[in-house]
Amino acid sequence: MCQSENRQGPELQAAAKWLHFPQLALRRRLGQLSCMSRPALKLRSWPLTILYYLLPFGALRPLSQVGWRPMSRVALYKSVPTRLLSRAWGRLNQVELPYWLRRPVYSLYIWTFGVNMTEAAVEDLHHYRNLSEFFRRKLKPQARPVCGLHSVISPSDGKILTFGQVKNCEVEQVKGVTYSLESFLGPRACTEDLPFPPASSRDSFKNQLVTREGNELYHCVIYLAPGDYHCFHSPTDWTVSHRRHFPGSLMSVNPGMARWIKELFCHNERVVLTGDWKHGFFSLTAVGATNVGSIRIYFDQDLHTNSPRYSKGSYNDLSFVTHANKEGVPMRKGEHLGEFNLGSTIVLIFEAPKDFNFRLKAGQKIRFGEALGSL
């Protein structure tokens, strides 16, 4: 028995070395990966990570035993070049379609997303030369009557995700998922541009926005689906004094993605308009999304979104308060304000007295002109 075991020893050792060879080779390759630059490492890790999540039965799980770790699903999604893809989609949307192809293409889109073309100012599908014109179609004047009884109306068609008071400087993205108010709006700009007074460093960012004693800060998030009307309007009578543009990612903002990625709205490109209304501070933020490379504000000709010249992580400001115009840009309730290229999200953050009441339910569909709330 002992002699047999001794004879098998070298054979077993050789087999063990052969079995360990792939692990040693993988460790060596992973060591080389760890020395690579971050962009190159991401590029080399993508294929393995994608296969890790796509292949059945955990086929690549043995790799984790030799030190390799896949990127998380969130990190993998964040690494997708959504800005570049959105710019390409925008170029494609501007390609003029042949006359004979317009009706079948637009009809497919109408059927897929439930578009109501009877509300469109021009119902003839042949009128729209490209997808961009179709996305930005106007409505008949009587299609969206503006509610005059309530002080704040919906600026767009869409779905109500969250609403209520802002608490602890955190705003709800969707139920149970929050983001930082200061990260979303950015640091306070010069007091000459914004309506709220200076505040000491001890005060919270939320308290800096509340200009009048006894008032509270409120928020409302409206998600625009691809089939919705893509223009947005002024939600109340107010004066816009400042614009802040955050270049950023263009990840999807549908409710499922908003539950998945914390502070999604703070990562995405957005345009923040701030000013004041009769009760104090008021802001409207247009948040970009995948394939929504274009956010247009009608009175701001200097705004260019999803532009390669702007890098993520920065922001650029523009004040509408000048020596010639001491007040800013006055907006009337229901007046045209801007438009998206496809569909996205509108976030309202505003100051109002404590007896302000929302007339909403989370998840409800709403149309431009309908009441959001009033005193």
Side-chain angles (χ1 to χ4, degrees):
M1 289 290 292
C2 292
Q3 291 179 351
S4 176
E5 287 177 359
N6 289 336
R7 284 196 302 270
Q8 292 176 0
E11 297 174 358
L12 289 173
Q13 289 174 6
K17 286 182 179 180
W18 184 84
L19 289 171
H20 282 297
F21 174 76
Q23 292 191 358
L24 292 172
L26 281 169
R27 284 196 180 97
R28 191 176 300 113
R29 295 296 295 163
L30 291 168
Q32 293 172 1
L33 283 176
S34 65
C35 297
M36 298 175 101
S37 64
R38 186 175 295 273
L41 181 60
K42 274 189 175 181
L43 187 63
R44 295 293 293 272
S45 297
W46 271 355
L48 276 180
T49 300
I50 293 171
L51 288 173
Y52 181 86
Y53 290 120
L54 292 182
L55 290 178
F57 312 118
L60 294 184
R61 283 182 184 168
L63 289 177
S64 62
Q65 298 174 3
V66 295
W68 180 76
R69 293 290 182 271
M71 289 188 287
S72 69
R73 288 180 174 89
V74 172
L76 180 63
Y77 180 62
K78 285 182 178 179
S79 65
V80 174
T82 51
R83 297 182 75 191
L84 180 62
L85 293 174
S86 296
R87 281 197 289 270
W89 176 253
R91 296 285 179 86
L92 180 63
N93 285 350
Q94 294 172 4
V95 174
E96 184 170 343
L97 294 176
Y99 188 86
W100 59 270
L101 191 58
R102 295 175 188 177
R103 178 174 289 278
V105 169
Y106 300 146
S107 295
L108 177 62
Y109 187 91
I110 290 167
W111 177 80
T112 303
F113 296 108
V115 178
N116 184 2
M117 283 301 294
T118 61
E119 299 176 333
V122 180
E123 297 183 42
D124 181 12
L125 298 181
H126 293 111
H127 169 80
Y128 303 101
R129 294 173 299 176
N130 52 48
L131 283 167
S132 182
E133 286 188 3
F134 180 73
F135 293 146
R136 295 180 287 107
R137 64 193 177 276
K138 306 300 182 186
L139 297 181
K140 294 173 182 174
Q142 68 274 18
R144 296 288 187 276
V146 175
C147 177
L149 299 177
H150 301 279
S151 54
V152 184
I153 61 167
S154 175
S156 65
D157 289 6
K159 179 181 179 181
I160 301 295
L161 295 187
T162 62
F163 62 91
Q165 284 190 19
V166 176
K167 298 179 180 179
N168 301 321
C169 293
E170 293 286 322
V171 186
E172 270 199 328
Q173 188 166 278
V174 291
K175 188 173 179 60
V177 180
T178 63
Y179 56 91
S180 164
L181 178 65
E182 186 169 6
S183 296
F184 182 68
L185 296 178
R188 203 183 69 172
C190 176
T191 55
E192 292 179 358
D193 299 339
L194 295 181
F196 37 80
S200 69
S201 59
R202 298 189 304 270
D203 293 335
S204 72
F205 187 78
K206 172 190 166 185
N207 292 338
Q208 294 177 28
L209 300 183
V210 177
T211 64
R212 302 179 187 180
E213 188 175 352
N215 281 1
E216 294 288 344
L217 204 62
Y218 298 86
H219 73 97
C220 181
V221 181
I222 304 169
Y223 166 68
L224 287 73
D228 287 328
Y229 167 56
H230 296 101
C231 295
F232 50 92
H233 301 246
S234 176
T236 191
D237 295 335
W238 65 307
T239 301
V240 183
S241 57
H242 188 269
R243 181 263 288 163
R244 175 168 286 163
H245 170 219
F246 289 87
S249 300
L250 288 171
M251 294 180 282
S252 172
V253 292
N254 70 61
M257 196 64 66
R259 292 188 189 92
W260 192 34
I261 300 178
K262 182 176 174 60
E263 297 202 332
L264 171 61
F265 295 163
C266 297
H267 291 301
N268 270 17
E269 182 151 8
R270 59 197 182 278
V271 177
V272 181
L273 301 177
T274 53
D276 62 331
W277 69 319
K278 61 183 178 180
H279 298 297
F281 173 78
F282 199 96
S283 73
L284 179 149
T285 302
V287 183
T290 306
N291 296 335
V292 189
S294 173
I295 301 172
R296 184 182 173 195
I297 303 298
Y298 294 137
F299 57 77
D300 185 358
Q301 301 303 315
D302 295 326
L303 177 66
H304 300 283
T305 57
N306 196 19
S307 172
R309 64 179 175 175
Y310 296 125
S311 59
K312 293 192 293 185
S314 62
Y315 62 85
N316 55 85
D317 289 348
L318 176 67
S319 174
F320 299 113
V321 177
T322 64
H323 292 294
N325 180 9
K326 299 290 186 181
E327 296 184 356
V329 181
M331 297 296 301
R332 303 294 296 175
K333 183 167 65 174
E335 187 177 351
H336 278 84
L337 183 55
E339 62 188 34
F340 290 112
N341 188 48
L342 190 55
S344 193
T345 298
I346 295 285
V347 180
L348 301 179
I349 298 174
F350 58 93
E351 175 186 0
K354 291 182 178 179
D355 56 350
F356 182 87
N357 291 314
F358 284 102
R359 299 175 178 270
L360 303 171
K361 293 181 180 178
Q364 80 172 70
K365 291 287 291 182
I366 197 166
R367 304 202 303 176
F368 154 61
E370 294 179 347
L372 287 183
S374 64
L375 299 172

